[in-house]
mmCIF file of all heavy atoms in Angstrom:
data_model
loop_
_atom_site.group_PDB
_atom_site.id
_atom_site.type_symbol
_atom_site.label_atom_id
_atom_site.label_comp_id
_atom_site.label_asym_id
_atom_site.label_seq_id
_atom_site.Cartn_x
_atom_site.Cartn_y
_atom_site.Cartn_z
ATOM 1 N N ARG A 261 105.225 23.413 56.787
ATOM 2 C CA ARG A 261 105.211 24.792 57.242
ATOM 3 C C ARG A 261 103.967 25.177 58.000
ATOM 4 O O ARG A 261 104.072 25.897 58.978
ATOM 5 C CB ARG A 261 105.287 25.647 55.927
ATOM 6 C CG ARG A 261 105.391 27.096 56.185
ATOM 7 C CD ARG A 261 105.374 27.918 54.881
ATOM 8 N NE ARG A 261 104.194 27.640 54.078
ATOM 9 C CZ ARG A 261 103.028 28.219 54.392
ATOM 10 N NH1 ARG A 261 102.889 29.096 55.357
ATOM 11 N NH2 ARG A 261 101.897 27.937 53.573
ATOM 12 N N ARG A 262 102.860 24.705 57.582
ATOM 13 C CA ARG A 262 101.559 25.041 58.364
ATOM 14 C C ARG A 262 101.585 24.410 59.766
ATOM 15 O O ARG A 262 101.186 25.055 60.677
ATOM 16 C CB ARG A 262 100.377 24.496 57.565
ATOM 17 C CG ARG A 262 100.074 25.229 56.260
ATOM 18 C CD ARG A 262 98.812 24.772 55.574
ATOM 19 N NE ARG A 262 98.562 25.420 54.332
ATOM 20 C CZ ARG A 262 97.551 25.137 53.543
ATOM 21 N NH1 ARG A 262 96.693 24.180 53.888
ATOM 22 N NH2 ARG A 262 97.452 25.787 52.360
ATOM 23 N N GLU A 263 102.049 23.193 59.826
ATOM 24 C CA GLU A 263 102.142 22.583 61.207
ATOM 25 C C GLU A 263 103.073 23.336 62.087
ATOM 26 O O GLU A 263 102.781 23.613 63.278
ATOM 27 C CB GLU A 263 102.600 21.174 61.038
ATOM 28 C CG GLU A 263 101.583 20.161 60.424
ATOM 29 C CD GLU A 263 102.156 18.781 60.268
ATOM 30 O OE1 GLU A 263 103.351 18.582 60.633
ATOM 31 O OE2 GLU A 263 101.419 17.921 59.803
ATOM 32 N N GLN A 264 104.175 23.799 61.646
ATOM 33 C CA GLN A 264 105.126 24.605 62.377
ATOM 34 C C GLN A 264 104.482 25.937 62.823
ATOM 35 O O GLN A 264 104.686 26.356 63.912
ATOM 36 C CB GLN A 264 106.433 24.816 61.613
ATOM 37 C CG GLN A 264 107.239 23.527 61.372
ATOM 38 C CD GLN A 264 108.441 23.812 60.577
ATOM 39 O OE1 GLN A 264 108.606 24.821 59.908
ATOM 40 N NE2 GLN A 264 109.344 22.826 60.461
ATOM 41 N N GLU A 265 103.685 26.528 61.904
ATOM 42 C CA GLU A 265 103.036 27.748 62.183
ATOM 43 C C GLU A 265 102.052 27.608 63.308
ATOM 44 O O GLU A 265 101.942 28.371 64.229
ATOM 45 C CB GLU A 265 102.394 28.340 60.933
ATOM 46 C CG GLU A 265 101.712 29.663 61.144
ATOM 47 C CD GLU A 265 102.665 30.811 61.371
ATOM 48 O OE1 GLU A 265 103.895 30.624 61.140
ATOM 49 O OE2 GLU A 265 102.176 31.845 61.921
ATOM 50 N N VAL A 266 101.250 26.486 63.186
ATOM 51 C CA VAL A 266 100.225 26.247 64.232
ATOM 52 C C VAL A 266 100.873 25.975 65.596
ATOM 53 O O VAL A 266 100.454 26.451 66.661
ATOM 54 C CB VAL A 266 99.336 25.073 63.833
ATOM 55 C CG1 VAL A 266 98.461 24.614 64.991
ATOM 56 C CG2 VAL A 266 98.520 25.403 62.600
ATOM 57 N N LYS A 267 101.953 25.193 65.585
ATOM 58 C CA LYS A 267 102.694 24.902 66.762
ATOM 59 C C LYS A 267 103.273 26.194 67.442
ATOM 60 O O LYS A 267 103.274 26.376 68.598
ATOM 61 C CB LYS A 267 103.837 23.895 66.520
ATOM 62 C CG LYS A 267 104.524 23.415 67.768
ATOM 63 C CD LYS A 267 105.624 22.377 67.402
ATOM 64 C CE LYS A 267 106.279 21.854 68.652
ATOM 65 N NZ LYS A 267 107.283 20.800 68.303
ATOM 66 N N ARG A 268 103.787 27.036 66.553
ATOM 67 C CA ARG A 268 104.367 28.286 67.066
ATOM 68 C C ARG A 268 103.339 29.171 67.746
ATOM 69 O O ARG A 268 103.490 29.766 68.790
ATOM 70 C CB ARG A 268 105.019 29.102 65.908
ATOM 71 C CG ARG A 268 105.799 30.314 66.333
ATOM 72 C CD ARG A 268 106.230 31.126 65.098
ATOM 73 N NE ARG A 268 105.097 31.596 64.330
ATOM 74 C CZ ARG A 268 104.381 32.644 64.588
ATOM 75 N NH1 ARG A 268 104.658 33.365 65.664
ATOM 76 N NH2 ARG A 268 103.445 33.024 63.778
ATOM 77 N N ARG A 269 102.131 29.272 67.123
ATOM 78 C CA ARG A 269 101.009 29.964 67.654
ATOM 79 C C ARG A 269 100.525 29.394 69.027
ATOM 80 O O ARG A 269 100.261 30.109 69.990
ATOM 81 C CB ARG A 269 99.826 30.051 66.700
ATOM 82 C CG ARG A 269 100.090 30.870 65.528
ATOM 83 C CD ARG A 269 98.888 30.885 64.547
ATOM 84 N NE ARG A 269 99.130 31.690 63.336
ATOM 85 C CZ ARG A 269 98.291 31.797 62.408
ATOM 86 N NH1 ARG A 269 97.110 31.202 62.475
ATOM 87 N NH2 ARG A 269 98.572 32.561 61.295
ATOM 88 N N GLU A 270 100.451 28.118 69.136
ATOM 89 C CA GLU A 270 100.074 27.412 70.354
ATOM 90 C C GLU A 270 101.078 27.688 71.476
ATOM 91 O O GLU A 270 100.717 27.967 72.561
ATOM 92 C CB GLU A 270 99.928 25.890 70.193
ATOM 93 C CG GLU A 270 98.781 25.485 69.261
ATOM 94 C CD GLU A 270 98.669 23.982 69.047
ATOM 95 O OE1 GLU A 270 99.622 23.271 69.447
ATOM 96 O OE2 GLU A 270 97.653 23.499 68.495
ATOM 97 N N GLU A 271 102.356 27.683 71.100
ATOM 98 C CA GLU A 271 103.414 27.990 72.126
ATOM 99 C C GLU A 271 103.287 29.405 72.588
ATOM 100 O O GLU A 271 103.480 29.740 73.778
ATOM 101 C CB GLU A 271 104.798 27.680 71.550
ATOM 102 C CG GLU A 271 105.010 26.197 71.339
ATOM 103 C CD GLU A 271 106.370 25.931 70.667
ATOM 104 O OE1 GLU A 271 107.018 26.969 70.268
ATOM 105 O OE2 GLU A 271 106.811 24.736 70.570
ATOM 106 N N ALA A 272 102.974 30.314 71.626
ATOM 107 C CA ALA A 272 102.855 31.749 71.970
ATOM 108 C C ALA A 272 101.616 31.969 72.918
ATOM 109 O O ALA A 272 101.762 32.692 73.918
ATOM 110 C CB ALA A 272 102.758 32.530 70.735
ATOM 111 N N LEU A 273 100.554 31.316 72.600
ATOM 112 C CA LEU A 273 99.386 31.395 73.482
ATOM 113 C C LEU A 273 99.656 30.842 74.885
ATOM 114 O O LEU A 273 99.251 31.391 75.880
ATOM 115 C CB LEU A 273 98.170 30.735 72.795
ATOM 116 C CG LEU A 273 97.599 31.405 71.566
ATOM 117 C CD1 LEU A 273 96.590 30.576 70.906
ATOM 118 C CD2 LEU A 273 97.050 32.817 71.912
ATOM 119 N N ALA A 274 100.257 29.641 74.834
ATOM 120 C CA ALA A 274 100.604 29.036 76.175
ATOM 121 C C ALA A 274 101.548 29.963 76.957
ATOM 122 O O ALA A 274 101.399 30.055 78.153
ATOM 123 C CB ALA A 274 101.231 27.665 75.958
ATOM 124 N N GLY A 275 102.492 30.575 76.315
ATOM 125 C CA GLY A 275 103.405 31.505 77.053
ATOM 126 C C GLY A 275 102.639 32.684 77.575
ATOM 127 O O GLY A 275 103.095 33.272 78.555
ATOM 128 N N ALA A 276 101.586 33.100 76.910
ATOM 129 C CA ALA A 276 100.808 34.251 77.368
ATOM 130 C C ALA A 276 99.729 33.840 78.380
ATOM 131 O O ALA A 276 98.934 34.699 78.880
ATOM 132 C CB ALA A 276 100.093 34.942 76.181
ATOM 133 N N GLY A 277 99.717 32.576 78.787
ATOM 134 C CA GLY A 277 98.773 32.153 79.755
ATOM 135 C C GLY A 277 97.421 31.669 79.275
ATOM 136 O O GLY A 277 96.477 31.509 79.989
ATOM 137 N N VAL A 278 97.314 31.669 77.945
ATOM 138 C CA VAL A 278 96.004 31.208 77.303
ATOM 139 C C VAL A 278 96.086 29.692 77.051
ATOM 140 O O VAL A 278 97.029 29.199 76.498
ATOM 141 C CB VAL A 278 95.830 31.937 75.980
ATOM 142 C CG1 VAL A 278 94.565 31.454 75.343
ATOM 143 C CG2 VAL A 278 95.753 33.483 76.162
ATOM 144 N N VAL A 279 95.112 28.952 77.639
ATOM 145 C CA VAL A 279 95.036 27.507 77.534
ATOM 146 C C VAL A 279 94.104 27.193 76.364
ATOM 147 O O VAL A 279 92.920 27.564 76.346
ATOM 148 C CB VAL A 279 94.556 26.844 78.770
ATOM 149 C CG1 VAL A 279 94.567 25.311 78.643
ATOM 150 C CG2 VAL A 279 95.509 27.190 79.958
ATOM 151 N N LEU A 280 94.588 26.413 75.380
ATOM 152 C CA LEU A 280 93.747 25.910 74.275
ATOM 153 C C LEU A 280 92.984 24.675 74.763
ATOM 154 O O LEU A 280 93.572 23.691 75.143
ATOM 155 C CB LEU A 280 94.661 25.611 73.092
ATOM 156 C CG LEU A 280 95.340 26.786 72.459
ATOM 157 C CD1 LEU A 280 96.255 26.276 71.338
ATOM 158 C CD2 LEU A 280 94.422 27.829 71.955
ATOM 159 N N GLU A 281 91.639 24.760 74.677
ATOM 160 C CA GLU A 281 90.781 23.724 75.202
ATOM 161 C C GLU A 281 90.162 22.977 74.018
ATOM 162 O O GLU A 281 89.294 23.556 73.385
ATOM 163 C CB GLU A 281 89.751 24.242 76.175
ATOM 164 C CG GLU A 281 90.373 24.921 77.374
ATOM 165 C CD GLU A 281 89.337 25.473 78.314
ATOM 166 O OE1 GLU A 281 88.173 25.635 77.832
ATOM 167 O OE2 GLU A 281 89.567 25.853 79.488
ATOM 168 N N LYS A 282 90.593 21.768 73.713
ATOM 169 C CA LYS A 282 90.057 20.983 72.656
ATOM 170 C C LYS A 282 88.976 20.049 73.200
ATOM 171 O O LYS A 282 89.204 19.379 74.300
ATOM 172 C CB LYS A 282 91.135 20.202 71.935
ATOM 173 C CG LYS A 282 92.190 21.045 71.308
ATOM 174 C CD LYS A 282 93.220 20.156 70.593
ATOM 175 C CE LYS A 282 94.330 21.007 69.938
ATOM 176 N NZ LYS A 282 95.327 20.236 69.363
ATOM 177 N N PRO A 283 87.838 20.010 72.585
ATOM 178 C CA PRO A 283 86.791 19.025 73.119
ATOM 179 C C PRO A 283 87.216 17.632 73.161
ATOM 180 O O PRO A 283 87.851 17.109 72.171
ATOM 181 C CB PRO A 283 85.630 19.205 72.044
ATOM 182 C CG PRO A 283 85.898 20.560 71.418
ATOM 183 C CD PRO A 283 87.376 20.745 71.436
ATOM 184 N N ASN A 284 86.994 16.958 74.284
ATOM 185 C CA ASN A 284 87.445 15.572 74.514
ATOM 186 C C ASN A 284 86.397 14.700 75.203
ATOM 187 O O ASN A 284 86.674 13.553 75.533
ATOM 188 C CB ASN A 284 88.769 15.475 75.187
ATOM 189 C CG ASN A 284 88.764 16.145 76.538
ATOM 190 O OD1 ASN A 284 87.760 16.768 76.967
ATOM 191 N ND2 ASN A 284 89.840 15.992 77.261
ATOM 192 N N TRP A 285 85.210 15.360 75.588
ATOM 193 C CA TRP A 285 84.240 14.578 76.308
ATOM 194 C C TRP A 285 82.795 14.924 75.841
ATOM 195 O O TRP A 285 82.575 16.089 75.508
ATOM 196 C CB TRP A 285 84.306 14.996 77.833
ATOM 197 C CG TRP A 285 83.614 13.986 78.644
ATOM 198 C CD1 TRP A 285 84.136 12.850 79.289
ATOM 199 C CD2 TRP A 285 82.235 14.012 79.058
ATOM 200 N NE1 TRP A 285 83.140 12.259 80.028
ATOM 201 C CE2 TRP A 285 81.961 12.935 79.891
ATOM 202 C CE3 TRP A 285 81.161 14.938 78.806
ATOM 203 C CZ2 TRP A 285 80.731 12.738 80.435
ATOM 204 C CZ3 TRP A 285 79.939 14.677 79.295
ATOM 205 C CH2 TRP A 285 79.684 13.572 80.087
ATOM 206 N N PRO A 286 81.893 13.992 75.699
ATOM 207 C CA PRO A 286 82.147 12.538 75.920
ATOM 208 C C PRO A 286 83.018 11.880 74.823
ATOM 209 O O PRO A 286 83.025 12.487 73.699
ATOM 210 C CB PRO A 286 80.741 11.973 75.878
ATOM 211 C CG PRO A 286 79.912 12.914 75.112
ATOM 212 C CD PRO A 286 80.507 14.312 75.352
ATOM 213 N N PRO A 287 83.614 10.793 75.096
ATOM 214 C CA PRO A 287 84.579 10.181 74.059
ATOM 215 C C PRO A 287 83.972 9.886 72.767
ATOM 216 O O PRO A 287 84.603 10.089 71.750
ATOM 217 C CB PRO A 287 85.113 8.970 74.811
ATOM 218 C CG PRO A 287 84.857 9.224 76.288
ATOM 219 C CD PRO A 287 83.622 10.068 76.315
ATOM 220 N N PHE A 288 82.692 9.472 72.746
ATOM 221 C CA PHE A 288 82.050 9.057 71.520
ATOM 222 C C PHE A 288 81.571 10.253 70.688
ATOM 223 O O PHE A 288 81.412 10.172 69.465
ATOM 224 C CB PHE A 288 80.873 8.134 71.785
ATOM 225 C CG PHE A 288 79.842 8.725 72.690
ATOM 226 C CD1 PHE A 288 78.792 9.471 72.179
ATOM 227 C CD2 PHE A 288 79.885 8.456 74.070
ATOM 228 C CE1 PHE A 288 77.861 9.994 73.115
ATOM 229 C CE2 PHE A 288 78.985 8.965 74.930
ATOM 230 C CZ PHE A 288 77.958 9.747 74.431
ATOM 231 N N LEU A 289 81.422 11.451 71.302
ATOM 232 C CA LEU A 289 81.021 12.681 70.601
ATOM 233 C C LEU A 289 81.480 13.822 71.378
ATOM 234 O O LEU A 289 80.789 14.517 72.109
ATOM 235 C CB LEU A 289 79.437 12.702 70.461
ATOM 236 C CG LEU A 289 78.916 13.891 69.614
ATOM 237 C CD1 LEU A 289 79.394 13.842 68.244
ATOM 238 C CD2 LEU A 289 77.428 13.938 69.683
ATOM 239 N N PRO A 290 82.798 14.172 71.258
ATOM 240 C CA PRO A 290 83.375 15.256 72.071
ATOM 241 C C PRO A 290 82.723 16.606 71.790
ATOM 242 O O PRO A 290 82.710 17.067 70.646
ATOM 243 C CB PRO A 290 84.863 15.220 71.633
ATOM 244 C CG PRO A 290 85.101 13.916 71.072
ATOM 245 C CD PRO A 290 83.740 13.497 70.365
ATOM 246 N N ILE A 291 82.222 17.256 72.813
ATOM 247 C CA ILE A 291 81.614 18.533 72.637
ATOM 248 C C ILE A 291 82.140 19.549 73.680
ATOM 249 O O ILE A 291 82.020 20.785 73.498
ATOM 250 C CB ILE A 291 80.044 18.487 72.718
ATOM 251 C CG1 ILE A 291 79.640 17.815 74.079
ATOM 252 C CG2 ILE A 291 79.473 17.728 71.618
ATOM 253 C CD1 ILE A 291 78.131 17.818 74.311
ATOM 254 N N ILE A 292 82.778 19.003 74.777
ATOM 255 C CA ILE A 292 83.357 19.951 75.821
ATOM 256 C C ILE A 292 84.724 19.471 76.100
ATOM 257 O O ILE A 292 85.054 18.268 75.818
ATOM 258 C CB ILE A 292 82.467 20.018 77.017
ATOM 259 C CG1 ILE A 292 82.431 18.636 77.731
ATOM 260 C CG2 ILE A 292 81.092 20.494 76.771
ATOM 261 C CD1 ILE A 292 81.754 18.652 79.132
ATOM 262 N N HIS A 293 85.556 20.404 76.677
ATOM 263 C CA HIS A 293 86.847 20.007 77.157
ATOM 264 C C HIS A 293 86.717 19.671 78.596
ATOM 265 O O HIS A 293 86.256 20.436 79.422
ATOM 266 C CB HIS A 293 87.846 21.164 77.014
ATOM 267 C CG HIS A 293 89.194 20.874 77.485
ATOM 268 N ND1 HIS A 293 90.089 20.122 76.782
ATOM 269 C CD2 HIS A 293 89.785 21.174 78.679
ATOM 270 C CE1 HIS A 293 91.194 20.009 77.545
ATOM 271 N NE2 HIS A 293 91.079 20.653 78.608
ATOM 272 N N HIS A 294 87.265 18.475 79.010
ATOM 273 C CA HIS A 294 87.139 18.018 80.423
ATOM 274 C C HIS A 294 88.276 17.056 80.700
ATOM 275 O O HIS A 294 88.237 15.956 80.131
ATOM 276 C CB HIS A 294 85.743 17.360 80.579
ATOM 277 C CG HIS A 294 85.363 17.116 82.009
ATOM 278 N ND1 HIS A 294 85.420 15.914 82.631
ATOM 279 C CD2 HIS A 294 84.987 18.017 82.945
ATOM 280 C CE1 HIS A 294 85.087 16.077 83.897
ATOM 281 N NE2 HIS A 294 84.735 17.369 84.074
ATOM 282 N N ASP A 295 89.183 17.448 81.551
ATOM 283 C CA ASP A 295 90.370 16.587 81.910
ATOM 284 C C ASP A 295 90.767 16.872 83.331
ATOM 285 O O ASP A 295 91.838 17.467 83.548
ATOM 286 C CB ASP A 295 91.480 16.884 80.879
ATOM 287 C CG ASP A 295 92.557 15.798 80.984
ATOM 288 O OD1 ASP A 295 92.407 14.876 81.704
ATOM 289 O OD2 ASP A 295 93.614 15.941 80.238
ATOM 290 N N ILE A 296 89.954 16.372 84.227
ATOM 291 C CA ILE A 296 90.282 16.669 85.672
ATOM 292 C C ILE A 296 91.578 16.085 86.079
ATOM 293 O O ILE A 296 92.392 16.651 86.843
ATOM 294 C CB ILE A 296 89.108 16.131 86.592
ATOM 295 C CG1 ILE A 296 87.866 16.889 86.250
ATOM 296 C CG2 ILE A 296 89.491 16.184 88.019
ATOM 297 C CD1 ILE A 296 86.618 16.380 86.991
ATOM 298 N N ALA A 297 91.926 14.844 85.609
ATOM 299 C CA ALA A 297 93.035 14.077 86.045
ATOM 300 C C ALA A 297 94.327 14.863 85.783
ATOM 301 O O ALA A 297 95.347 14.694 86.512
ATOM 302 C CB ALA A 297 93.011 12.701 85.510
ATOM 303 N N ASN A 298 94.348 15.526 84.609
ATOM 304 C CA ASN A 298 95.671 16.214 84.204
ATOM 305 C C ASN A 298 95.644 17.684 84.464
ATOM 306 O O ASN A 298 96.722 18.309 84.376
ATOM 307 C CB ASN A 298 95.835 15.985 82.707
ATOM 308 C CG ASN A 298 96.081 14.470 82.393
ATOM 309 O OD1 ASN A 298 96.789 13.811 83.127
ATOM 310 N ND2 ASN A 298 95.491 13.964 81.311
ATOM 311 N N GLU A 299 94.479 18.312 84.676
ATOM 312 C CA GLU A 299 94.490 19.752 84.776
ATOM 313 C C GLU A 299 94.122 20.309 86.211
ATOM 314 O O GLU A 299 94.365 21.489 86.461
ATOM 315 C CB GLU A 299 93.501 20.364 83.781
ATOM 316 C CG GLU A 299 93.836 20.137 82.352
ATOM 317 C CD GLU A 299 92.929 20.705 81.300
ATOM 318 O OE1 GLU A 299 91.802 21.041 81.751
ATOM 319 O OE2 GLU A 299 93.313 20.829 80.143
ATOM 320 N N ILE A 300 93.519 19.561 87.020
ATOM 321 C CA ILE A 300 93.128 19.927 88.320
ATOM 322 C C ILE A 300 94.110 19.397 89.361
ATOM 323 O O ILE A 300 94.495 18.188 89.260
ATOM 324 C CB ILE A 300 91.658 19.448 88.703
ATOM 325 C CG1 ILE A 300 90.741 19.912 87.618
ATOM 326 C CG2 ILE A 300 91.256 19.954 90.049
ATOM 327 C CD1 ILE A 300 90.655 21.448 87.443
ATOM 328 N N PRO A 301 94.583 20.169 90.329
ATOM 329 C CA PRO A 301 95.470 19.670 91.356
ATOM 330 C C PRO A 301 94.897 18.450 92.064
ATOM 331 O O PRO A 301 93.671 18.386 92.273
ATOM 332 C CB PRO A 301 95.653 20.839 92.303
ATOM 333 C CG PRO A 301 95.404 22.072 91.442
ATOM 334 C CD PRO A 301 94.381 21.637 90.444
ATOM 335 N N ILE A 302 95.790 17.567 92.509
ATOM 336 C CA ILE A 302 95.298 16.262 93.090
ATOM 337 C C ILE A 302 94.433 16.466 94.289
ATOM 338 O O ILE A 302 93.399 15.823 94.464
ATOM 339 C CB ILE A 302 96.530 15.451 93.407
ATOM 340 C CG1 ILE A 302 97.318 15.029 92.175
ATOM 341 C CG2 ILE A 302 96.092 14.153 94.186
ATOM 342 C CD1 ILE A 302 98.518 14.262 92.450
ATOM 343 N N HIS A 303 94.764 17.464 95.149
ATOM 344 C CA HIS A 303 93.997 17.650 96.380
ATOM 345 C C HIS A 303 92.593 18.226 96.116
ATOM 346 O O HIS A 303 91.757 18.311 97.064
ATOM 347 C CB HIS A 303 94.774 18.492 97.408
ATOM 348 C CG HIS A 303 95.073 19.880 96.872
ATOM 349 N ND1 HIS A 303 96.003 20.142 95.940
ATOM 350 C CD2 HIS A 303 94.514 21.116 97.174
ATOM 351 C CE1 HIS A 303 96.020 21.470 95.653
ATOM 352 N NE2 HIS A 303 95.158 22.012 96.459
ATOM 353 N N LEU A 304 92.354 18.730 94.858
ATOM 354 C CA LEU A 304 91.036 19.265 94.514
ATOM 355 C C LEU A 304 90.210 18.409 93.578
ATOM 356 O O LEU A 304 89.117 18.820 93.294
ATOM 357 C CB LEU A 304 91.268 20.679 93.860
ATOM 358 C CG LEU A 304 92.054 21.687 94.745
ATOM 359 C CD1 LEU A 304 92.205 22.989 93.906
ATOM 360 C CD2 LEU A 304 91.242 22.021 95.999
ATOM 361 N N GLN A 305 90.824 17.382 93.197
ATOM 362 C CA GLN A 305 90.165 16.524 92.190
ATOM 363 C C GLN A 305 88.821 15.906 92.777
ATOM 364 O O GLN A 305 87.841 15.780 91.976
ATOM 365 C CB GLN A 305 91.071 15.396 91.659
ATOM 366 C CG GLN A 305 92.196 15.976 90.794
ATOM 367 C CD GLN A 305 93.075 14.847 90.261
ATOM 368 O OE1 GLN A 305 92.806 13.666 90.418
ATOM 369 N NE2 GLN A 305 94.157 15.239 89.547
ATOM 370 N N LYS A 306 88.793 15.547 93.999
ATOM 371 C CA LYS A 306 87.610 14.910 94.566
ATOM 372 C C LYS A 306 86.462 15.878 94.494
ATOM 373 O O LYS A 306 85.340 15.547 94.070
ATOM 374 C CB LYS A 306 87.867 14.445 96.018
ATOM 375 C CG LYS A 306 86.636 13.801 96.636
ATOM 376 C CD LYS A 306 86.935 13.422 98.059
ATOM 377 C CE LYS A 306 85.677 12.798 98.735
ATOM 378 N NZ LYS A 306 85.879 12.360 100.098
ATOM 379 N N MET A 307 86.663 17.109 94.908
ATOM 380 C CA MET A 307 85.552 18.131 94.839
ATOM 381 C C MET A 307 85.135 18.333 93.384
ATOM 382 O O MET A 307 83.930 18.427 93.143
ATOM 383 C CB MET A 307 86.045 19.426 95.435
ATOM 384 C CG MET A 307 86.084 19.465 96.904
ATOM 385 S SD MET A 307 86.473 21.123 97.577
ATOM 386 C CE MET A 307 88.238 21.293 97.169
#
């Protein structure tokens, strides 16, 4: 029930345009959210 509730809230936030940013960098001690390959358009990734 709790997992379903959390999933429902995440979907609601995503539908409202709010992006949940979970820390994932650096890999050995994640403190910031950083995912250029999946979140930045390809033509802007180099910059």
Side-chain angles (χ1 to χ4, degrees):
R261 182 184 59 80
R262 291 183 181 180
E263 290 178 359
Q264 292 176 348
E265 181 67 19
V266 171
K267 186 177 181 180
R268 186 186 63 80
R269 291 180 181 178
E270 291 179 352
E271 291 176 352
L273 291 174
V278 179
V279 180
L280 297 177
E281 298 178 346
K282 297 180 180 179
N284 60 353
W285 195 93
F288 56 87
L289 184 63
I291 55 177
I292 64 172
H293 177 80
H294 196 255
D295 193 4
I296 295 176
N298 294 320
E299 295 182 344
I300 305 300
I302 296 177
H303 63 287
L304 301 176
Q305 288 183 5
K306 180 181 178 180
M307 281 188 288

